[in-house]
């Protein structure tokens, strides 16, 4: 078994289950500029590698056979293709009497195609070229040579990279195509890192083989993927025109002048890059197991202060009817409570969401800022496909808060079934859940946005006060039966104004101006090949170099 | 035996870190880089800084939403309990309404879980009810508090007699009923306080009613029916929201017309 799991029996009844260890990832700020050199694979001392990094540019494990930029969103490409196909077909039916729609569409595409990615000789259709470029989210170092099935020594070093599309469409109606997961790995003996790092006489300051420059691989100055060409004006390499323009606009470097005081190579200035921080690992705190006696004592204590007690003494005092009503209380659910208070329309009664908060609230709330959850290839608790193992109650009878592997979903919407998870396209092995990105990571990716325009930009204080007052007036008139006294279009105007501000807040907010950065997610669950196939060196003809694609499920964010 | 030994020696000489490697890292343990000592800083852990999980949460933390009333006005979806905490802060109280054992029949025998019902309120017109079931009492109560915060709703209050100062009581006599329970709420002058059973006192206080007479009949020990009855009664008494939100310069003698003009000038 993997050395990562620890065996412990579950608290209440049932068979004793092996509770897999869950690791959590947290964002740690990079205090000093020079520390960047020690993060992830920027340092060749691999025995120190741990965790990973969030934001910035990817730090490639294999610095030579890197993916070719730009990494475009396939969901956006598909959407564009559908849109242009319907547009083309309309044009074609007018223009070409006997040619048929398809040939006309092809001509159109062919004339617009440019040989941007000359490396693999393929032609990218116009629709793909205009697709949004995905942004780097995070990378994690997670060796798997011992756990891979069959065992693969090339997974001695192993790093997972996650990229996602920042467009608003892909954030609100996500598909697996809007996320790109790459897996890089290397065996212990490789061309890039020293064999033994324990040698303290040599501190490897002059080691260069882990840098892309040593292998004549030019990386894009903006995104860090393999570059296509050089910009003569800036004397730097880029992977596409968009990044070239972006760099020119944001980092106006005069000839020979240094960039910034901070040696982060303009991460803060480039909109395509998110704020950079380090990803550190911690164990998830275990739930303190309490005995049945302790539980009973606590229950009695709480019962004394509760508004409505349940103690047996009272039950005896009740007459026969009391028992029935006790059962009524047993069946009260959140939706019933919301009906009472009037929170029915706006409240949250999704059991999965409440479980989500329960789970991240363990350890007395000390781990609420977790950015990543890691639990490789263990089935979710309840272990079998048969959700009815505990009777007919399908509604989350499994107490997630006592521990267990598997993804922790943010709501019960849009949860994948086994069929949705594709198997590895290289070796056919099944893919299983390995890690998930949490929505807390977004706060760290966006960094410090307090300098952005204040809330006055969306709607000034006077406007908001006016709308509130108007709402009061409308309410009062309604309940006093005096609606006839209001001006005829008062309600309509008011509702319209409220709607406008609401949309501005929810959809735009402060991020609308940042070139359509609507990046958002509930969770991004990453499923990886259980064989961890490949040797990490051979470039198998795809644009991804020696890195292999894995599968991710992007769940809708809460509140959408 | 043999293979395991080999593996052990391997692991020891090639100490790799990374996710999935059992290092026995605890909370706050400097898991980062053997000897480098750079783990999660202890500093901000003590302050319990809020890391939002939703877009609205991020907006609230950045200060882009002015008050909880804007949340209700714009029907913004609250999916994080910390949003409520942010606006209501120290005024928010929670009370356990009921904690009851619930038996479940499973293939392995009987399983006892605890169902907790909690009410949260700021005594200024906002109340939320939450329920959570768990095998541990503490988890159930904590979960119910979160659920209550996620389901906060505004409570409307009125005046008794002269409309002076803040709303403090119900504006008229009302009765709410559910099952066998009848709850009657009657306006009371300032200073009367809440004349009611303990449960009623707590709920009315949380909802922001300061003064009220009440009488109840029927099986009032049944929580569900009792609170349903009380809330039905309260909802029949809609007055208007706290006037503190009204700004003097937006309203004059003829409020409605002036307001329509004001809105039309802004060219929404």
């Amino acid at each position: 078994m993997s050395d990562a799991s620890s065996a412990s029996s579950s608290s209440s009844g049932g068979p004793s289950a092996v509770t897999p260890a869950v690791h959590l990832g947290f964002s740690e700020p990079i205090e000093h500029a020079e520390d960047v050199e020690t993060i992830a694979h920027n340092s060749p001392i691999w025995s120190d590698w741990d965790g990973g990094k969030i934001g910035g540019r990817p730090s490639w494990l294999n610095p030579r056979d890197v993916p070719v930029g730009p990494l475009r969103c396939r969901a956006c490409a598909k959407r564009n293709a559908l849109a242009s196909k319907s547009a083309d077909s309309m044009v074609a039916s007018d223009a070409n009497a006997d040619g048929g729609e398809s040939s006309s569409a092809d001509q159109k595409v062919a004339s617009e195609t440019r040989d941007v990615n000359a490396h693999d000789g393929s032609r990218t259709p116009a629709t793909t070229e205009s697709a949004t470029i995905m942004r780097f989210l995070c990378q994690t170092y997670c060796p798997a040579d011992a756990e891979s099935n069959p065992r693969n020594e090339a997974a001695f070093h192993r790093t997972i990279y996650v990229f996602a599309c920042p467009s608003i469409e892909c954030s609100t109606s996500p598909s697996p195509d809007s996320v790109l997961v790459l897996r890089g790995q290397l065996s212990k003996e490789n061309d890039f890192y020293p064999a033994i790092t324990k040698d303290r006489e040599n501190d490897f300051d002059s080691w260069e083989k882990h840098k892309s420059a040593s292998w004549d691989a030019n990386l894009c100055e903006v995104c860090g993927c393999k570059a296509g060409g050089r910009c003569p004006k800036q004397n730097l390499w880029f992977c596409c025109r968009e990044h070239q323009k972006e760099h020119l606009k944001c980092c106006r470097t005069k000839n020979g002048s240094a960039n910034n005081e901070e040696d982060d190579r303009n991460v803060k200035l480039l909109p395509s890059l998110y704020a950079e921080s380090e990803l550190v690992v911690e164990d998830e705190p275990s739930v303190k197991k309490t005995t049945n006696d302790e539980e009973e004592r606590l229950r009695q204590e709480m019962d004394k202060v509760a508004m409505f007690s349940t103690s047996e003494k009272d039950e005896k005092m009740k007459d026969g009817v009391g028992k029935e009503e006790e059962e009524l209380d047993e069946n009260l659910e959140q939706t019933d409570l919301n009906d009472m208070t009037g929170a029915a329309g706006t409240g949250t009664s999704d059991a999965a969401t409440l479980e989500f908060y329960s789970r991240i609230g363990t350890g007395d709330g000390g781990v609420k800022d977790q950015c990543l959850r890691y639990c490789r290839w263990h089935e979710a608790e309840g272990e079998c496909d048969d959700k009815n193992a505990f009777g007919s109650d399908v509604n989350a009878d499994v107490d997630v808060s006592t521990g267990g592997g598997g993804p922790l979903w943010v709501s019960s919407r849009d949860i994948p079934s086994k069929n949705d998870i594709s198997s590895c396209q290289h070796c056919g092995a099944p893919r299983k859940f390995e890690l998930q990105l949490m929505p807390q990571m977004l706060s760290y990716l966006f960094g410090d946005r307090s300098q952005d325009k204040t809330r006055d930009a969306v709607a000034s204080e006077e406007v908001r006060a006016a709308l509130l007052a108007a709402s009061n007036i409308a309410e009062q008139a309604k309940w006093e039966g005096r609606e006839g006294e209001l001006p005829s279009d008062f309600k309509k105007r008011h509702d319209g104004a409220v709607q406008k501000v609401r949309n501005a807040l929810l959809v735009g907010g402060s991020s609308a101006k940042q070139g359509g950065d609507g990046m958002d997610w509930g969770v991004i669950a990453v499923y990886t090949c259980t064989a961890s196939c490949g040797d990490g060196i051979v470039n198998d003809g795809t644009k991804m170099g020696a890195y292999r694609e894995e599968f991710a499920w992007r769940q809708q964010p809460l509140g959408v | 035996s043999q293979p395991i030994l080999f593996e052990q020696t391997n692991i020891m000489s090639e100490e790799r870190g990374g996710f999935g490697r059992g290092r026995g890292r605890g909370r706050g343990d400097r898991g980062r880089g053997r000897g480098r000592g750079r783990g999660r800083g202890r500093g901000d852990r003590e302050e319990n800084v809020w890391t939002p999980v939703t877009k609205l949460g991020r907006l609230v933390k950045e200060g882009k939403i002015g008050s909880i009333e804007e949340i209700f006005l714009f029907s913004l979806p609250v999916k994080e309990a910390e949003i409520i905490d942010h606006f209501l802060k120290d005024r928010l109280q929670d009370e356990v309404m009921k904690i009851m054992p619930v038996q479940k029949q499973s293939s392995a025998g009987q399983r006892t879980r605890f169902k907790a019902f909690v009410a949260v309120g700021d005594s200024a017109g906002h109340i939320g009810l939450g329920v959570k079931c768990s095998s541990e009492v503490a988890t159930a109560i904590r979960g119910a508090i979160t659920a209550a915060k996620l389901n906060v709703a505004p409570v409307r209050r009125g005046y008794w007699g002269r409309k002076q100062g803040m709303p403090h009581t119900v504006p008229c006599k009302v009765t709410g009923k559910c099952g066998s329970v009848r709850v009657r709420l009657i306006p009371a002058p300032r200073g009367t306080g809440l004349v009611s059973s303990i449960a009623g006192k707590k709920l009315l206080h949380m909802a922001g009613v300061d003064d009220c007479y009440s009488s109840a009949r029927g099986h009032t020990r049944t929580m569900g029916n009792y609170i349903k009855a009380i809330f039905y009664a309260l909802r029949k008494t809609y007055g208007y929201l706290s006037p503190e939100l009204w700004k003097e310069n937006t309203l004059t003698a003829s409020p409605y017309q002036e307001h329509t003009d004001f809105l039309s000038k802004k060219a929404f």
Side-chain angles (χ1 to χ4, degrees):
Chain A
M1 266 311 230
S2 126
D3 52 323
S5 63
S6 52
S8 59
S9 49
S10 45
S11 54
S12 51
S16 64
V18 173
T19 314
V22 175
H23 290 149
L24 304 177
F26 298 89
S27 165
E28 268 299 296
I30 300 170
E31 308 272 311
H32 312 287
E34 57 265 19
D35 288 343
V36 176
E37 285 302 303
T38 59
I39 290 179
H41 309 304
N42 296 343
S43 157
I45 306 173
W46 52 263
S47 54
D48 282 344
W49 289 348
D50 198 19
K53 79 200 266 300
I54 294 174
R57 295 177 192 84
S59 171
W60 299 115
L61 175 66
N62 174 336
R64 181 186 63 204
D65 311 301
V66 298
V68 176
L71 300 169
R72 293 197 187 265
C73 173
R74 274 160 299 191
C76 288
K78 279 188 193 160
R79 212 179 296 124
N80 294 347
L82 273 172
S84 67
K85 204 181 281 179
S86 52
D88 284 349
S89 62
M90 289 199 290
V91 168
S93 53
D94 298 335
N96 241 348
D98 48 8
E101 4 179 315
S102 50
S103 58
S104 170
D106 282 340
Q107 282 171 30
K108 221 182 177 188
V109 166
S111 62
E112 284 176 292
T113 301
R114 294 174 277 154
D115 266 344
V116 173
N117 301 307
H119 312 281
D120 53 10
S122 65
R123 290 183 159 206
T124 31
T127 53
T128 313
E129 278 183 9
S130 58
T132 327
I133 301 177
M134 293 200 274
R135 297 190 185 173
F136 175 65
L137 298 180
C138 73
Q139 64 182 81
T140 64
Y141 176 63
C142 40
D145 48 342
E147 293 87 5
S148 49
N149 177 24
R151 189 186 167 110
N152 186 357
E153 294 300 337
F156 183 86
H157 293 304
R158 182 168 169 276
T159 305
I160 307 273
Y161 300 82
V162 185
F163 302 81
C165 177
S167 70
I168 292 176
E169 296 90 356
C170 282
S171 297
T172 48
S173 341
S175 85
D177 284 331
S178 65
V179 180
L180 176 67
V181 179
L182 294 177
R183 167 172 53 85
Q185 55 190 35
L186 290 174
S187 37
K188 185 161 178 248
E189 307 281 325
N190 57 69
D191 297 332
F192 313 110
Y193 302 100
I196 299 171
T197 58
K198 292 272 131 192
D199 180 5
R200 277 305 162 205
E201 290 173 16
N202 181 357
D203 57 1
F204 302 107
D205 271 351
S206 52
W207 187 274
E208 292 289 313
K209 289 200 202 146
H210 64 301
K211 298 199 178 148
S212 297
S214 317
W215 302 93
D216 282 330
N218 293 303
L219 303 183
C220 174
E221 190 66 22
V222 170
C223 68
C225 296
K226 195 163 209 161
R230 203 168 80 167
C231 170
K233 190 170 184 180
Q234 303 175 73
N235 203 21
L236 294 165
W237 290 80
F238 298 99
C239 65
C240 60
R241 284 211 213 290
E242 285 117 305
H243 284 172
Q244 183 185 16
K245 280 188 209 155
E246 183 178 316
H247 193 272
L248 185 63
K249 186 172 162 194
C250 304
C251 318
R252 261 157 240 248
T253 44
K254 310 286 191 277
N255 289 341
S257 68
N259 283 345
N260 301 339
E261 317 81 55
E262 287 128 275
D263 187 25
D264 66 353
R265 279 172 60 223
N266 302 312
V267 170
K268 293 199 180 86
L269 296 175
L270 291 164
S272 286
L273 296 179
Y274 288 120
E276 194 169 25
S277 57
E278 196 179 351
L279 184 63
V280 300
V281 192
E282 275 186 25
D283 292 339
E284 183 173 47
S286 52
V287 178
K288 288 188 280 275
K289 302 279 184 241
T290 48
T291 63
N292 284 339
D293 283 344
E294 281 170 2
E295 287 299 318
E296 185 52 33
R297 218 175 327 127
L298 185 55
R299 186 193 76 81
Q300 280 171 9
E301 242 179 77
M302 289 287 113
D303 200 57
K304 276 191 219 139
V305 295
M307 289 189 220
F308 300 85
S309 71
T310 332
S311 54
E312 287 187 4
K313 195 166 64 134
D314 275 34
E315 275 192 35
K316 287 198 182 104
M317 282 156 58
K318 285 187 198 149
D319 51 46
V321 190
K323 279 281 162 130
E324 270 173 33
E325 285 170 327
E326 193 74 358
E327 261 169 55
L328 283 175
D329 280 352
E330 204 174 294
N331 293 328
L332 275 180
E333 295 302 336
Q334 190 63 49
T335 42
D336 303 311
L337 297 178
N338 287 354
D339 286 339
M340 294 178 211
T341 53
T346 52
T348 305
S349 50
D350 188 342
T353 304
L354 299 174
E355 277 297 347
F356 174 84
Y357 284 118
S358 220
R359 190 71 185 269
I360 65 174
T362 50
D364 295 324
V367 295
K368 278 188 182 167
D369 51 344
Q370 57 191 258
C371 293
L372 190 135
R373 294 181 68 85
Y374 188 96
C375 188
R376 177 163 54 208
W377 301 339
H378 278 99
E379 294 293 342
E381 204 175 80
E383 199 64 66
C384 34
D385 295 301
D386 176 24
K387 282 229 164 80
N388 294 331
F390 288 102
S392 57
D393 181 5
V394 188
N395 188 12
D397 194 41
V398 172
D399 211 346
V400 183
S401 48
T402 56
L408 181 66
W409 301 110
V410 88
S411 75
S412 50
R413 281 185 309 185
D414 219 26
I415 292 182
S417 64
K418 278 225 151 66
N419 295 336
D420 291 318
I421 319 286
S422 60
S423 301
C424 178
Q425 67 254 41
H426 301 275
C427 70
R431 283 206 176 103
K432 284 195 187 164
F433 173 76
E434 178 163 359
L435 61 99
Q436 69 183 80
L437 273 60
M438 301 290 272
Q440 290 90 322
M441 191 189 280
L442 285 158
S443 293
Y444 296 103
L445 288 170
F446 292 147
D448 187 14
R449 290 202 300 196
S450 53
Q451 297 100 11
D452 281 3
K453 342 165 223 165
T454 65
R455 63 176 150 116
D456 283 355
V458 177
S460 69
E461 270 199 58
E462 290 108 28
V463 168
R464 292 184 188 211
L467 286 175
L468 274 169
S471 169
N472 289 349
I473 291 168
E475 283 259 7
Q476 187 187 356
K478 184 171 162 193
W479 288 101
E480 292 177 6
R482 290 193 284 126
E483 271 182 306
E485 283 181 25
L486 298 173
S488 52
D489 59 349
F490 181 85
K491 190 141 178 41
K492 210 176 76 170
R493 278 254 184 88
H494 176 64
D495 286 345
V498 166
Q499 207 43 40
K500 207 167 175 186
V501 177
R502 178 179 197 267
N503 287 339
L505 278 171
L506 284 181
V507 175
S510 62
S511 45
K513 286 278 168 73
Q514 288 174 21
D517 189 346
M519 182 70 87
D520 203 0
W521 64 77
V523 301
I524 295 181
V526 174
Y527 298 81
T528 54
C529 170
T530 48
S532 200
C533 61
D535 61 9
I537 311 268
V538 167
N539 192 329
D540 40 9
T542 65
K543 280 174 54 185
M544 304 302 168
Y547 294 80
R548 292 201 164 180
E549 270 190 64
E550 297 285 23
F551 181 84
W553 188 267
R554 186 171 178 175
Q555 192 183 27
Q556 265 183 319
L558 284 172
V560 163
Chain B
S1 48
Q2 267 257 312
I4 294 171
L5 257 181
F6 177 77
E7 192 139 324
Q8 287 257 297
T9 343
N10 244 4
I11 286 169
M12 278 167 59
S13 63
E14 283 154 8
E15 300 170 22
R16 277 163 296 158
F19 282 94
R21 309 288 295 174
R23 286 251 131 227
R25 301 179 194 86
R27 274 185 60 213
D29 194 11
R30 306 310 121 174
R32 169 72 175 86
R34 265 119 276 128
R36 199 76 57 82
R38 201 170 50 218
R40 221 160 30 119
R42 265 260 164 242
D44 31 359
R45 198 73 352 84
E46 319 306 339
E47 294 163 23
N48 256 334
V49 175
W50 168 34
T51 309
V53 149
T54 61
K55 181 171 184 133
L56 181 62
R58 289 189 286 274
L59 288 177
V60 166
K61 191 171 178 196
E62 289 163 17
K64 301 218 163 51
I65 310 283
S67 67
I68 199 173
E69 308 308 338
E70 285 180 30
I71 301 269
F72 297 124
L73 171 67
F74 299 119
S75 310
L76 298 171
V78 173
K79 300 289 177 184
E80 278 192 73
E82 284 89 345
I83 292 174
I84 301 299
D85 286 329
H86 177 93
F87 289 119
L88 301 182
K89 286 204 183 77
D90 314 311
R91 297 191 310 247
L92 202 60
Q93 293 169 304
D94 56 77
E95 292 272 359
V96 175
M97 294 198 291
K98 189 168 188 175
I99 177 97
M100 61 190 298
V102 169
Q103 311 282 11
K104 172 143 256 111
Q105 202 65 32
S106 77
S107 49
Q110 276 219 328
R111 206 158 87 110
T112 305
R113 302 174 83 206
F114 300 101
K115 195 154 182 169
F117 296 88
V118 166
V120 310
D122 67 343
S123 306
H126 304 106
I127 195 158
L129 303 178
V131 57
K132 180 83 172 88
C133 199
S134 171
S135 45
E136 277 113 33
V137 173
T139 313
I141 291 178
R142 208 178 38 220
I145 293 177
T146 300
K149 288 180 184 171
L150 288 171
N151 291 285
V152 164
V155 176
R156 282 149 173 81
R157 299 162 292 156
Y159 290 106
W160 181 90
R162 286 174 304 167
K163 289 184 164 56
Q164 192 183 44
M166 298 292 296
H168 66 104
T169 187
V170 292
C172 51
K173 292 183 195 171
V174 284
T175 304
K177 60 184 179 193
C178 183
S180 66
V181 179
R182 306 267 178 284
V183 175
R184 192 161 189 234
L185 302 178
I186 296 146
R190 271 182 211 283
T192 309
L194 295 167
V195 179
S196 164
S197 66
I198 307 263
K201 268 215 262 277
K202 287 186 176 174
L203 280 171
L204 290 169
H205 172 68
M206 250 192 220
V209 180
D210 299 323
D211 310 288
C212 188
Y213 296 112
S214 80
S215 81
R217 288 180 50 217
H219 291 286
T220 55
R221 279 200 228 274
T222 322
M223 178 196 66
N225 287 351
Y226 184 79
I227 50 181
K228 251 186 234 177
I230 268 204
F231 279 107
Y232 280 170
L234 277 174
R235 281 164 73 185
K236 281 191 203 173
T237 68
Y238 280 173
Y240 37 83
L241 292 173
S242 319
E244 66 195 344
L245 303 161
W246 296 30
K247 280 219 152 67
E248 278 172 14
N249 53 8
T250 60
L251 301 167
T252 58
S254 58
Y256 305 139
Q257 195 51 49
E258 171 106 6
H259 211 69
T260 316
D261 291 345
F262 173 71
L263 287 174
S264 63
K265 272 193 205 121
K266 287 281 178 178
F268 284 120

